[in-house]
C-alpha cells in the first residue's frame, strides 16, 4: 500500500500513508438492531492506533510483540524508542519488505 501511494497522485496531490500494527488480544462485537456495525476494542487496538499516529509517512510501524511474530518473514529495522500516550516508552520497528 505504501508503494502504491508513493507512485501516484490524487487530484494532483500526493498523499502520505502511515500504518501502525500491534498484536494481542481484542474484544470484537456486532452492534445494532436496525443497522449493524462490527467493531473491535482493547489495548491492542489502541496501541496500533498509536503506532499509526506516531509513525512516519510511507512506513509500516509495528510494536515489539508484532515484530516477534513476523521477524522471520519480513525485513525490519529498529525504529527506536517512542513515548506512547498511556503506555510510556516503547520499542518500535519499521517493516521494510517481505523476505
Amino acid at each position: 500500500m505504501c508503494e502504491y501511494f508513493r507512485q501516484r497522485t490524487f487530484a494532483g496531490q500526493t498523499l502520505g500513508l502511515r500504518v501502525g500494527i500491534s498484536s494481542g488480544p481484542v474484544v470484537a462485537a456486532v452492534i445494532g438492531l436496525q443497522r449493524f456495525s462490527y467493531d473491535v476494542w482493547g489495548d491492542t487496538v489502541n496501541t496500533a492506533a498509536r503506532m499509526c499516529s506516531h509513525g512516519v509517512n510511507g512506513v509500516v510501524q509495528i510494536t515489539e510483540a508484532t515484530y516477534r511474530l513476523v521477524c522471520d518473514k519480513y525485513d525490519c529495522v529498529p525504529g527506536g524508542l517512542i513515548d506512547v500516550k498511556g503506555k510510556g516508552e516503547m520499542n518500535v520497528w519499521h517493516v521494510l519488505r517481505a523476505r
Side-chain angles (χ1 to χ4, degrees):
M1 288 190 310
C2 292
E3 188 60 32
Y4 179 87
F5 276 80
R6 265 193 288 277
Q7 295 177 1
R8 289 173 176 73
T9 58
F10 303 88
Q13 300 290 316
T14 57
L15 300 177
L17 180 70
R18 293 182 292 184
V19 179
I21 302 174
S22 185
S23 299
V26 297
V27 175
V30 176
I31 306 165
L33 297 173
Q34 302 285 325
R35 184 172 174 218
F36 299 110
S37 177
Y38 179 81
D39 205 355
V40 291
W41 302 272
D43 185 57
T44 303
V45 175
N46 295 337
T47 303
R50 299 283 191 253
M51 290 299 102
C52 183
S53 65
H54 290 70
V56 179
N57 281 338
V59 174
V60 177
Q61 183 162 276
I62 61 176
T63 60
E64 188 145 3
T66 302
Y67 171 74
R68 282 187 249 117
L69 294 170
V70 304
C71 63
D72 59 336
K73 295 181 179 151
Y74 293 87
D75 290 330
C76 303
V77 295
L81 278 173
I82 62 169
D83 188 26
V84 178
K85 179 182 172 185
K87 309 275 299 168
E89 288 190 336
M90 293 182 69
N91 280 313
V92 297
W93 297 83
H94 296 165
V95 179
L96 299 178
R97 68 188 72 75
R99 290 189 176 170

Short mmCIF file of all heavy atoms in Angstrom, two decimals, residues 6 11-12 14 16 25 41 60 64 70 73 78-79 81-82 84-86:
data_model
loop_
_atom_site.label_atom_id
_atom_site.label_comp_id
_atom_site.label_asym_id
_atom_site.label_seq_id
_atom_site.Cartn_x
_atom_site.Cartn_y
_atom_site.Cartn_z
N ARG A 6 3.05 6.05 -2.92
CA ARG A 6 4.26 6.79 -3.34
C ARG A 6 4.27 7.05 -4.84
O ARG A 6 4.81 8.04 -5.29
CB ARG A 6 5.51 5.98 -2.97
CG ARG A 6 6.12 6.35 -1.65
CD ARG A 6 7.50 5.76 -1.49
NE ARG A 6 7.49 4.32 -1.27
CZ ARG A 6 7.31 3.74 -0.10
NH1 ARG A 6 7.11 4.47 0.98
NH2 ARG A 6 7.33 2.43 0.02
N ALA A 11 -5.95 13.80 -7.44
CA ALA A 11 -6.40 15.17 -7.69
C ALA A 11 -5.20 16.13 -7.65
O ALA A 11 -5.28 17.22 -7.12
CB ALA A 11 -7.46 15.59 -6.68
N GLY A 12 -4.07 15.68 -8.20
CA GLY A 12 -2.88 16.49 -8.28
C GLY A 12 -2.06 16.56 -7.00
O GLY A 12 -1.06 17.25 -6.93
N THR A 14 -0.04 14.51 -3.72
CA THR A 14 0.50 13.26 -3.21
C THR A 14 -0.03 13.07 -1.79
O THR A 14 -0.20 14.04 -1.05
CB THR A 14 2.04 13.26 -3.20
OG1 THR A 14 2.49 14.37 -2.41
CG2 THR A 14 2.60 13.36 -4.60
N GLY A 16 0.32 10.94 1.93
CA GLY A 16 1.18 10.13 2.77
C GLY A 16 0.34 9.07 3.46
O GLY A 16 -0.81 9.30 3.82
N PRO A 25 -4.54 -9.49 22.35
CA PRO A 25 -5.97 -9.78 22.48
C PRO A 25 -6.84 -8.56 22.18
O PRO A 25 -6.45 -7.41 22.44
CB PRO A 25 -6.11 -10.19 23.94
CG PRO A 25 -4.97 -9.52 24.64
CD PRO A 25 -3.85 -9.46 23.64
N TRP A 41 -12.23 -3.57 20.05
CA TRP A 41 -11.75 -2.69 21.10
C TRP A 41 -10.63 -3.37 21.86
O TRP A 41 -10.43 -4.57 21.74
CB TRP A 41 -12.86 -2.41 22.12
CG TRP A 41 -14.09 -1.81 21.60
CD1 TRP A 41 -14.37 -0.48 21.44
CD2 TRP A 41 -15.27 -2.51 21.19
NE1 TRP A 41 -15.63 -0.31 20.95
CE2 TRP A 41 -16.21 -1.55 20.79
CE3 TRP A 41 -15.62 -3.85 21.11
CZ2 TRP A 41 -17.47 -1.88 20.33
CZ3 TRP A 41 -16.88 -4.19 20.65
CH2 TRP A 41 -17.79 -3.22 20.27
N VAL A 60 5.49 1.30 7.61
CA VAL A 60 4.67 0.43 8.45
C VAL A 60 5.41 0.29 9.77
O VAL A 60 6.50 -0.28 9.82
CB VAL A 60 4.45 -0.95 7.79
CG1 VAL A 60 3.66 -1.86 8.72
CG2 VAL A 60 3.75 -0.81 6.44
N GLU A 64 6.87 -4.26 19.32
CA GLU A 64 7.81 -5.35 19.52
C GLU A 64 7.10 -6.70 19.52
O GLU A 64 7.63 -7.69 19.02
CB GLU A 64 8.60 -5.17 20.82
CG GLU A 64 9.69 -6.18 20.96
CD GLU A 64 10.92 -5.61 21.65
OE1 GLU A 64 10.91 -4.45 22.07
OE2 GLU A 64 11.90 -6.36 21.73
N VAL A 70 6.62 -11.62 13.23
CA VAL A 70 6.85 -11.52 11.79
C VAL A 70 8.32 -11.43 11.38
O VAL A 70 8.63 -11.41 10.19
CB VAL A 70 6.10 -10.30 11.19
CG1 VAL A 70 4.61 -10.36 11.48
CG2 VAL A 70 6.69 -8.98 11.67
N LYS A 73 9.71 -13.49 8.55
CA LYS A 73 9.08 -13.37 7.23
C LYS A 73 9.25 -12.00 6.60
O LYS A 73 9.02 -11.83 5.41
CB LYS A 73 7.60 -13.70 7.34
CG LYS A 73 7.36 -15.15 7.73
CD LYS A 73 5.90 -15.45 7.81
CE LYS A 73 5.77 -16.92 8.20
NZ LYS A 73 4.61 -17.23 8.92
N PRO A 78 15.03 -1.45 13.52
CA PRO A 78 14.55 -0.79 14.75
C PRO A 78 14.16 0.66 14.46
O PRO A 78 14.86 1.37 13.76
CB PRO A 78 15.75 -0.85 15.69
CG PRO A 78 16.67 -1.88 15.12
CD PRO A 78 16.40 -1.92 13.65
N GLY A 79 13.03 1.07 14.99
CA GLY A 79 12.58 2.45 14.86
C GLY A 79 12.90 3.28 16.08
O GLY A 79 12.62 4.47 16.11
N LEU A 81 12.97 4.10 20.39
CA LEU A 81 12.00 4.25 21.48
C LEU A 81 11.12 5.44 21.17
O LEU A 81 11.60 6.52 20.80
CB LEU A 81 12.72 4.51 22.80
CG LEU A 81 13.26 3.32 23.56
CD1 LEU A 81 14.07 3.80 24.76
CD2 LEU A 81 12.15 2.41 24.01
N ILE A 82 9.81 5.26 21.33
CA ILE A 82 8.90 6.40 21.21
C ILE A 82 8.06 6.47 22.47
O ILE A 82 7.81 5.47 23.13
CB ILE A 82 8.00 6.31 19.95
CG1 ILE A 82 7.09 5.08 20.01
CG2 ILE A 82 8.82 6.33 18.68
CD1 ILE A 82 6.02 5.09 18.93
N VAL A 84 4.69 6.73 24.01
CA VAL A 84 3.32 6.45 23.58
C VAL A 84 2.36 6.83 24.71
O VAL A 84 2.51 6.35 25.85
CB VAL A 84 3.16 4.96 23.22
CG1 VAL A 84 1.73 4.64 22.83
CG2 VAL A 84 4.12 4.58 22.11
N LYS A 85 1.39 7.66 24.38
CA LYS A 85 0.42 8.13 25.36
C LYS A 85 -0.26 6.92 26.04
O LYS A 85 -0.76 6.02 25.39
CB LYS A 85 -0.63 8.99 24.66
CG LYS A 85 -1.71 9.51 25.58
CD LYS A 85 -2.73 10.32 24.80
CE LYS A 85 -3.90 10.68 25.67
NZ LYS A 85 -4.96 11.35 24.92
N GLY A 86 -0.25 6.93 27.35
CA GLY A 86 -0.89 5.88 28.11
C GLY A 86 -0.07 4.60 28.25
O GLY A 86 -0.47 3.67 28.94
#
